[in-house]
């Protein structure tokens, strides 16, 4: 972990503003310098987009926002910064001059990362006094949401600087990829550029519209690329015959005229007009802001879906949530369980896979959430893996659910749990499911659990029994809702 | 909608087998011809992969599987087929000869679609007797899950044939994209090929490993490509300045050396070895089957996430579910039932995804099976999409489950349903879940359902009410088990 407290952002456009949002929402103080008159408004809007997206992305509370300062000159922004992110326009001479000014005014050990999409760090650092702390830190739009950041050092960049930048980016939820070699456009943009040039040809040659070309990706290969790059995709497609065998089939097709990329299309006014007009058609009346929110909501949903699959970008989110959780725990001190009221051990959001065709959480998922809350309670009481391995397993014999309110995808939900009874081998409990944001009660679940391997000779293990007894001593004093213990009544009439 | 009843699949490899799975799981009878000795086993495995994925993808029951026949020769497979999908190896002369044989033996109005990734339909159709019904129908792996299919006709293909094929593919949950022009590799593969050639250069030049190149996509741009192609992505990135302004910035970078695609890498043994070895490292011990299941689970999760966002491939899933729902309604209504005893409308097997760490069906899945049985009853009684659209929706207000016996993965299970009561807007019912093979009772579920939009002025719709009354007239005479109507008792002691 780094000791970076204060960050300077030089440039507040789409990329720079995205950086500011990510830094600030992760609790860092940020000074911004951007001479454009609209920079302040644009950056503030970007922060609100970022806040909207990150608050949907995770239920774990974000740290308290850092302080945001807009500076009138570069010197004020960088003079006390431990980390500087430069996102100026993509012109080599301009960037060189800005970086030189940063180098001059910043503390000599402050890290400097350039957001450039393709300029070489060796060219960017050559006139600096402290070139060893300059590298490329290339993010992807929206910067507050996409995990990837390519780190590329130049000839003079130190390994320690790259390592420190990588740790810092990781701490704010990113996936740093440290490049082995310096190359124009790094890795991702080379592939994006190949795609882009081919797509331009398809429009220029009148083969397809921009909407058709986009559809050819987003309904097919693009869905896979959210999970796996092309090498892993081909490994799977190759099946048990192996990657080597699969690859050998590609020999011939590489000679076929399957791309026009031997040549570069001329992006003249005609082609620009064609694309701009087709793009207007494709947008079908949606404003940029509407498209942007759709993009963010979709990315949030995809990241959450992948988190539940323990895969790729979802694992980055999971790691990020651990960091956030630790921060939250530290900020709130140790959470002590208070047995004088129903306890809360489980919270989640309504998963994309849990909703039925009308957009509400399917009724069986209510029970799933109650089961998860029961598991959390059992763990809290000390029923760990050892207990299960010793042949004990607590079985649910009866469940009574009262559905009260529907709830839709993404809503934050939590469960309060009250013990209604406990004896040598049985537990009776009440779960109350509610929405965290509105406090509406969604359902109640009443459950009877029995330790299947308990017998009169072998009831709950003593330590577990003691923990249950302690909780029950308090919970038996709580008022018992009058809907418990009742069955489903006959219909009359 | 087409009147295709019977489908022939010529070739049962990764692509052909994927087609067979999609056709069969959508209720079509399929004849397969593939001379490879392992084709049968491979195809059957693919069908099970597809069943696993589709059963996770949607909670709406799939139609009853079609009949699968493996044929010893091509003639038997195609002679009574209304639709033929050819997925032979990618060699022009071979495909031409197979297509000629299909053309000769198939009914003259049967549609023929080739799965070729890049051969031109004009070349494929030129020697056919009925060339107007030949086109390319190019899918993406896994075929049972990814929606995209590119339809490309040749000079002699009729518009009607393309339209019929497009409607058919739509009916089995796909997104057909009819191409305007015939071009090598169509649309998607041109872009995939550009990406692939660039990626090969990066490995060949030692810039990065296959894992790093994959990571450069799946943690960044790939997440966007599941939603938006590159044109829409750039439209959003361009912001309020507009697409035209944004594009004009690209002029210079197109001249920069940002891809090596002016040249094509030589896929020699050295490069194949490097990729194969790096790919082994990347897999990190996961088998092909594990990777394949991960890929499918991830795609399912992404499709579900996008469905809930009403976006892109998620909308295709939503449309598909409407089609499945209507099929399920038709099947339920066609089924004749005997009201003199509890009725049986739902059977399934315990899904691999339903069991917890000790191998038993998780308790929440008991409720899921009861919900599916309830849905089947409602469809049987005539609650179709129109009813739901008219603002009616039957809501479960109470559930009481008694868990009696555990059940493990793969066991066949079914539900018997008895009405316990019915009035103007409420239904009380009892489900009994049992194992089909042993007849053991596994659990009972008692449920109270209410039509939320019913009121004293507007109760159940008359037709639905009549169907309920008919069933209730008989079921009110059945004995009522004495465990119904009871609540969960207090623990004494």
């Amino acid at each position: 972990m780094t000791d970076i407290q204060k960050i300077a952002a030089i440039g507040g456009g789409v990329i720079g503003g995205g950086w500011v949002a990510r830094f600030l929402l992760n609790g860092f103080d940020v000074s911004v310098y951007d001479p454009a008159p609209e920079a302040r408004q644009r950056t503030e809007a970007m922060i609100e987009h970022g806040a909207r997206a990150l608050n949907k992305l995770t239920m774990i509370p974000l740290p308290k926002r850092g302080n945001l300062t807009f500076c009138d000159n570069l010197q004020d922004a960088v003079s006390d910064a431990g980390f500087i992110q430069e996102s100026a326009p993509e012109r080599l001479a301009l960037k060189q001059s800005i970086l030189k000014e940063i180098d001059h005014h910043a503390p000599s050990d402050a890290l400097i990362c350039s957001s450039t999409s393709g300029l070489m760090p060796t060219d960017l650092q050559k006139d600096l006094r402290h070139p060893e702390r300059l590298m490329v830190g290339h993010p992807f739009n929206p910067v507050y949401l996409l995990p990837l950041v390519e780190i590329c050092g130049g000839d003079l960049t130190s390994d320690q600087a790259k390592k420190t930048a990588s740790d810092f980016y990781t701490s704010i939820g990113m996936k740093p990829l440290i490049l082995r070699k310096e190359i124009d456009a790094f890795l991702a943009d080379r592939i994006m550029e190949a795609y882009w040039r081919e797509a331009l040809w398809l429009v220029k040659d009148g083969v397809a519209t921009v909407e058709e070309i986009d559809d050819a990706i987003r309904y097919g290969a693009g869905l896979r690329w959210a999970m796996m790059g092309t090498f892993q995709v081909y490994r799977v497609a190759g099946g048990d015959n192996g990657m080597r065998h699969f690859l050998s089939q590609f020999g011939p097709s590489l000679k076929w005229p399957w791309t026009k990329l031997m040549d570069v299309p001329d992006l003249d006014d005609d082609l620009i007009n064609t694309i701009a007009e087709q793009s207007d058609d494709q947008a079908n009346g949606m404003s940029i802001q509407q498209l942007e929110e759709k993009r963010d909501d979709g990315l949030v949903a995809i990241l959450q879906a992948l988190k539940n699959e323990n895969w790729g970008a979802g694992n980055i989110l999971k790691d990020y949530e651990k960091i956030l959780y630790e921060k939250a725990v530290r900020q709130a001190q140790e959470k002590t369980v208070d047995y004088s009221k129903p306890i809360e051990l489980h919270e989640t959001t309504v998963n994309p896979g849990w909703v039925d065709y009308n957009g509400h959480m399917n009724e069986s998922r209510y029970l799933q959430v109650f089961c998860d809350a029961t598991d959390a309670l059992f763990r809290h009481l000390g029923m760990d893996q050892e207990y299960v391995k010793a042949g004990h397993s607590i079985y649910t014999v009866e469940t009574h659910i009262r559905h009260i309110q529907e709830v839709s995808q993404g809503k934050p939900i939590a469960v309060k749990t009250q013990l209604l009874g406990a004896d040598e081998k049985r537990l009776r409990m009440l779960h109350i499911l509610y929405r965290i944001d509105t406090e509406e009660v969604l359902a109640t679940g009443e459950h009877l659990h029995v330790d299947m391997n308990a017998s009169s000779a072998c009831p709950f293990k003593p330590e577990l029994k003691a923990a249950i007894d302690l909780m029950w001593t308090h919970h038996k004093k709580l008022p018992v809702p009058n809907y418990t213990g009742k069955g489903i009544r006959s219909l009359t009439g």
Side-chain angles (χ1 to χ4, degrees), chain A:
Chain A
M1 201 49 65
T2 68
D3 56 356
I4 296 160
Q5 297 299 322
K6 161 82 194 301
I7 297 176
I10 306 306
V14 171
I15 295 300
W19 275 123
V20 173
R22 194 181 266 273
F23 297 146
L24 203 74
L25 295 166
N26 276 286
F28 292 91
D29 294 335
V30 186
S31 293
V32 182
Y33 170 66
D34 186 328
E38 73 280 13
R40 185 184 191 124
Q41 190 195 350
R42 222 165 41 189
T43 302
E44 283 171 347
M46 189 68 91
I47 293 165
E48 293 321 310
H49 295 175
R52 178 181 173 280
L54 289 186
N55 281 313
K56 283 194 174 195
L57 182 66
T58 177
M59 288 179 312
I60 300 178
L62 298 173
K64 192 171 170 308
R65 272 191 208 190
N67 294 312
L68 178 64
T69 315
F70 287 90
C71 300
D72 292 333
N73 58 67
L74 189 146
Q75 178 176 354
D76 288 352
V78 305
S79 61
D80 59 347
F83 187 95
I84 296 132
Q85 186 79 39
E86 169 274 312
S87 311
E90 292 281 12
R91 294 196 298 275
L92 180 60
L94 175 68
K95 285 217 190 247
Q96 282 172 327
S97 124
I98 288 171
L99 288 167
K100 224 167 135 175
E101 209 185 332
I102 293 171
D103 181 52
H104 183 76
H105 293 295
S108 64
D109 61 347
L111 289 178
I112 308 175
C113 289
S114 171
S115 303
T116 180
S117 299
L119 300 174
M120 303 283 247
T122 295
D123 294 333
L124 295 174
Q125 75 192 159
K126 66 178 166 62
D127 295 327
L128 302 193
R129 295 193 303 182
H130 300 286
E132 72 287 347
R133 40 75 174 266
L134 182 282
M135 74 201 82
V136 167
H138 175 229
F140 296 80
N141 186 38
V143 180
Y144 46 74
L145 213 41
L146 287 184
L148 185 66
V149 54
E150 292 175 316
I151 294 178
C152 183
D155 288 344
L156 303 175
T157 311
S158 76
D159 287 345
Q160 182 55 50
K162 288 192 272 189
K163 170 79 171 60
T164 307
S166 174
D167 289 347
F168 166 65
Y169 286 134
T170 299
S171 79
I172 55 172
M174 302 188 83
K175 163 75 183 180
L177 191 60
I178 300 182
L179 269 65
R180 292 160 194 268
K181 284 196 185 180
E182 197 175 357
I183 179 178
D184 296 279
F186 320 122
L187 297 182
D189 271 6
R190 291 187 79 86
I191 289 162
M192 288 160 68
E193 185 77 7
Y195 172 172
W196 177 234
R197 292 183 186 190
E198 186 63 37
L200 289 177
W201 272 122
L202 291 168
V203 178
K204 190 176 182 84
D205 292 347
V207 175
T209 65
V210 302
E211 178 163 5
E212 289 160 354
I213 300 165
D214 278 0
D215 286 353
I217 294 304
R218 70 195 189 112
Y219 292 109
L223 294 162
R224 296 187 308 220
W225 287 336
M227 295 189 68
M228 293 178 176
T230 198
F231 289 104
Q232 186 97 280
V233 162
Y234 287 153
R235 182 184 184 87
V236 178
D240 293 326
N241 292 328
M243 188 72 172
R244 197 168 266 106
H245 171 80
F246 189 74
L247 285 172
S248 61
Q249 302 173 27
F250 273 98
S253 74
L254 285 176
K255 308 294 176 201
W256 295 345
W258 276 18
T259 92
K260 269 187 88 162
L261 289 169
M262 296 68 161
D263 197 2
V264 179
D266 200 14
L267 194 57
D268 55 19
D269 285 351
D270 265 5
L271 183 51
I272 288 180
N273 279 334
T274 303
I275 293 175
E277 281 162 19
Q278 291 182 355
S279 174
D280 289 347
D281 289 346
Q282 180 185 23
N284 200 20
M286 285 182 83
S287 70
I288 295 296
Q289 180 163 347
Q290 285 172 320
L291 282 171
E292 198 170 43
E293 290 189 354
K294 261 297 164 202
R295 178 200 64 191
D296 285 1
D297 290 350
L299 288 172
V300 163
I302 289 169
L303 289 167
Q304 289 172 340
L306 292 177
K307 185 184 92 171
N308 292 318
E309 296 299 327
N310 299 305
W311 188 262
N315 282 337
I316 305 298
L317 172 54
K318 196 170 268 188
D319 292 343
Y320 178 46
E321 288 192 323
K322 279 187 201 141
I323 294 168
L324 286 178
Y325 187 79
E326 276 161 27
K327 277 190 198 171
V329 166
R330 277 200 304 276
Q331 284 190 358
Q333 291 294 322
E334 194 77 49
K335 190 175 179 180
T336 49
V337 175
D338 176 3
Y339 281 146
S340 71
K341 55 186 184 183
I343 70 173
E344 293 195 39
L345 296 167
H346 180 58
E347 60 182 62
T348 183
T349 46
V350 179
N351 261 258
W354 294 359
V355 301
D356 52 27
Y357 53 87
N358 53 31
H360 296 125
M361 184 158 85
N362 181 275
E363 60 179 281
S364 68
R365 303 303 179 166
Y366 286 78
L367 180 52
Q368 181 174 325
V369 175
F370 287 142
C371 294
D372 290 343
T374 303
D375 286 349
L377 176 64
F378 288 161
R379 281 194 299 271
H380 164 75
L381 292 172
M383 198 183 88
D384 52 14
Q385 302 269 36
E386 292 306 308
Y387 193 76
V388 175
K389 272 192 210 133
H392 288 266
S393 127
I394 294 186
Y395 184 79
T396 308
V397 272
E398 237 172 313
T399 284
H400 183 191
I401 299 171
R402 293 162 59 252
H403 293 273
I404 294 161
Q405 191 56 255
E406 291 173 327
V407 59
S408 55
Q409 190 210 320
K411 294 289 179 285
I413 54 180
V415 178
K416 293 184 201 201
T417 303
Q418 175 175 346
L419 271 193
L420 296 179
D423 64 15
E424 297 300 302
K425 56 179 186 175
R426 294 184 299 175
L427 280 177
R428 186 170 158 243
M429 69 178 74
L430 174 67
H431 290 307
I432 297 173
L433 177 71
Y434 73 101
R435 261 177 71 165
I436 296 173
D437 52 345
T438 61
E439 299 191 358
E440 270 178 301
V441 172
L442 303 171
T444 67
E446 195 183 338
H447 308 268
L448 182 64
H449 307 281
V450 174
D451 188 330
M452 293 303 278
N453 292 73
S455 60
S456 52
C458 172
F460 284 131
K461 266 202 332 188
E463 313 87 84
L464 182 59
K465 183 73 171 71
I468 293 169
D469 285 347
L470 175 64
M471 185 169 170
W472 178 227
T473 308
H474 291 86
H475 274 208
K476 74 196 322 176
K477 296 174 198 154
L478 297 177
V480 176
N482 63 8
Y483 53 77
T484 62
K486 298 226 172 88
I488 299 176
R489 288 163 309 154
S490 289
L491 304 180
T492 49

